[in-house]
Amino acid sequence: MEPIYWNCIIAHGITAFSYFGIPTVIGVFFTKTKATIPSKFWLAFFLSGGFVLFCGFHHLLAIFEPYSAVSLLHLGVLDVMAFISLSALLYLTPTAYEIVEAIAKSQEDTRKLQRSQQMQQLFLDYGPFGAYIKDEQSRLLYYNQELQSKFSVNPQEWLGKTDSEFLPDPEEGQRIMENDQVVLNTLRPLKLIEEVKLSDNDQPCYWLSLKFPFSDYATGANRIGGISIDITETIEAQRSLTDLNQQLEEKTLELEAKKRDIIYLSDMADMLYSCESENEVYKVVALTCSKLFPNISGSIYIISNSKNYVQMNSFWGGRKKQ
């Protein structure tokens, strides 16, 4: 009976070693890869681990139990169990590592994706621009905190509504919706300036908007994405600059006109110094007046010595004045 006894001892020992080795190897791999078990699988994982460990304890204790006769069938089952347990341990060692490593990589990719989504959400929510998503009927599906702050609305107030329903001026909302339809019909981005009032009594605000189409992969429906930047201050600054430029041009023209007048009067003074008769003086004055007043006709009259009548000496402009 000695060979049968040692056969049982070895079979139980190999089986116990394999049962203890499998959860140990998996635990080491989880520790090495820093993978974690999803919470919904904790119970199944611990129950399976407990089952394997207690099976190992059962075979370990069987080694130290007093010898009792066993049938050849029982012995064959023990030998097959030992062989399968050891084979499972040897086979599962590399396979388990690949599985746990894949779990760790999947969890890391999930964390990176979640972090990326969080960053995108933070960028959209806290960026200094209005961001929104609309459906094919121009109903809002999402709008960020900039729009909430500008229009003093909560995150849910506008959802499912169109611009003509929530904007103070329904006509402005209708124009915005028409721009949305242009994007959907052409399936091309649209860049434009839109005028939108914040309330009924406010001055209009100007938004530089970039609207673009995209597909919702979950439903296959077309969507409109948009980013709008408030450029009201820029528009007002441009208008102020335009007004200043116009005033500057007017002042420049006025100064140029005065400069010409000064030149004409200076030329007249030089010519008067060279005049040798009264008639020449009158001609110089008439010539200068025609330059100073190009759109006005005029004449120079001389009062007779008797002061009974006047006589025209020279004229400038259109027809001669009698």
Side-chain angles (χ1 to χ4, degrees):
M1 301 299 291
E2 288 295 328
I4 296 177
Y5 171 75
W6 287 110
N7 192 326
C8 290
I9 296 299
I10 293 172
H12 281 300
I14 292 175
T15 304
F17 173 77
S18 301
Y19 278 176
F20 287 133
I22 290 174
T24 301
V25 167
I26 293 176
V28 170
F29 289 160
F30 267 98
T31 303
K32 184 176 181 181
T33 58
K34 297 181 180 180
T36 58
I37 301 170
S39 57
K40 62 180 180 180
F41 298 128
W42 282 355
L43 181 60
F45 180 81
F46 288 122
L47 288 177
S48 299
F51 168 75
V52 173
L53 288 174
F54 277 101
C55 286
F57 279 117
H58 168 75
H59 288 281
L60 180 63
L61 294 175
I63 297 175
F64 304 100
E65 289 178 354
Y67 173 76
S68 59
V70 295
S71 65
L72 291 177
L73 178 60
H74 189 180
L75 183 62
V77 171
L78 285 176
D79 290 341
V80 172
M81 182 183 296
F83 174 76
I84 293 176
S85 300
L86 183 60
S87 299
L89 174 62
L90 296 176
Y91 177 77
L92 286 177
T93 298
T95 304
Y97 179 75
E98 293 178 2
I99 294 174
V100 175
E101 191 176 43
I103 293 174
K105 185 178 184 304
S106 175
Q107 291 176 342
E108 180 63 22
D109 292 342
T110 301
R111 285 192 292 268
K112 289 181 179 179
L113 179 60
Q114 291 175 346
R115 180 58 178 167
S116 176
Q117 292 175 340
Q118 289 174 354
M119 293 298 291
Q120 292 176 8
Q121 192 67 37
L122 289 173
F123 173 78
L124 290 176
D125 280 341
Y126 294 98
F129 51 79
Y132 47 88
I133 297 176
K134 301 179 182 179
D135 64 10
E136 294 177 318
Q137 285 74 42
S138 291
R139 293 180 298 219
L140 274 175
L141 304 177
Y142 163 80
Y143 53 98
N144 70 343
Q145 293 189 11
E146 177 70 9
L147 291 179
Q148 298 171 30
S149 175
K150 283 284 187 181
F151 290 89
S152 300
V153 294
N154 62 54
Q156 306 294 326
E157 187 172 341
W158 284 359
L159 293 182
K161 297 182 180 180
T162 62
D163 298 82
S164 60
E165 292 175 330
F166 57 73
L167 287 180
D169 188 346
E171 293 184 359
E172 290 180 354
Q174 189 62 38
R175 287 194 296 269
I176 293 175
M177 293 169 61
E178 291 173 358
N179 296 332
D180 296 341
Q181 292 306 310
V182 171
V183 175
L184 287 175
N185 293 335
T186 61
L187 294 179
R188 298 182 62 181
L190 179 64
K191 183 178 180 180
L192 72 164
I193 295 177
E194 294 178 314
E195 180 180 335
V196 179
K197 293 180 180 178
L198 299 182
S199 65
D200 293 330
N201 300 323
D202 283 343
Q203 293 295 324
C205 290
Y206 297 92
W207 300 80
L208 177 60
S209 298
L210 176 62
K211 302 184 177 184
F212 52 90
F214 67 94
S215 296
D216 186 345
Y217 294 110
T219 62
N222 290 327
R223 297 287 184 253
I224 304 170
I227 294 178
S228 298
I229 301 175
D230 188 352
I231 58 170
T232 304
E233 293 182 358
T234 303
I235 294 294
E236 292 177 350
Q238 288 178 346
R239 288 178 176 174
S240 299
L241 183 59
T242 300
D243 293 340
L244 289 175
N245 287 335
Q246 184 176 358
Q247 294 176 9
L248 181 60
E249 290 178 359
E250 293 175 354
K251 292 294 183 181
T252 301
L253 293 175
E254 183 179 345
L255 290 175
E256 289 179 351
K258 290 182 178 180
K259 180 180 178 181
R260 286 195 302 270
D261 292 346
I262 293 173
I263 292 174
Y264 294 152
L265 292 173
S266 177
D267 292 341
M268 182 182 72
D270 293 338
M271 288 186 291
L272 288 175
Y273 278 118
S274 61
C275 290
E276 297 180 353
S277 64
E278 289 186 6
N279 288 334
E280 290 181 358
V281 170
Y282 297 144
K283 291 179 180 180
V284 168
V285 173
L287 176 63
T288 303
C289 289
S290 66
K291 295 179 180 180
L292 292 174
F293 314 107
N295 299 322
I296 300 176
S297 299
S299 303
I300 297 177
Y301 291 87
I302 300 174
I303 302 175
S304 65
N305 293 331
S306 61
K307 297 183 180 181
N308 293 329
Y309 66 93
V310 294
Q311 180 180 0
M312 185 178 67
N313 180 275
S314 56
F315 70 94
W316 68 90
R319 300 175 60 182
K320 183 184 298 185
K321 303 294 182 178
Q322 299 294 333

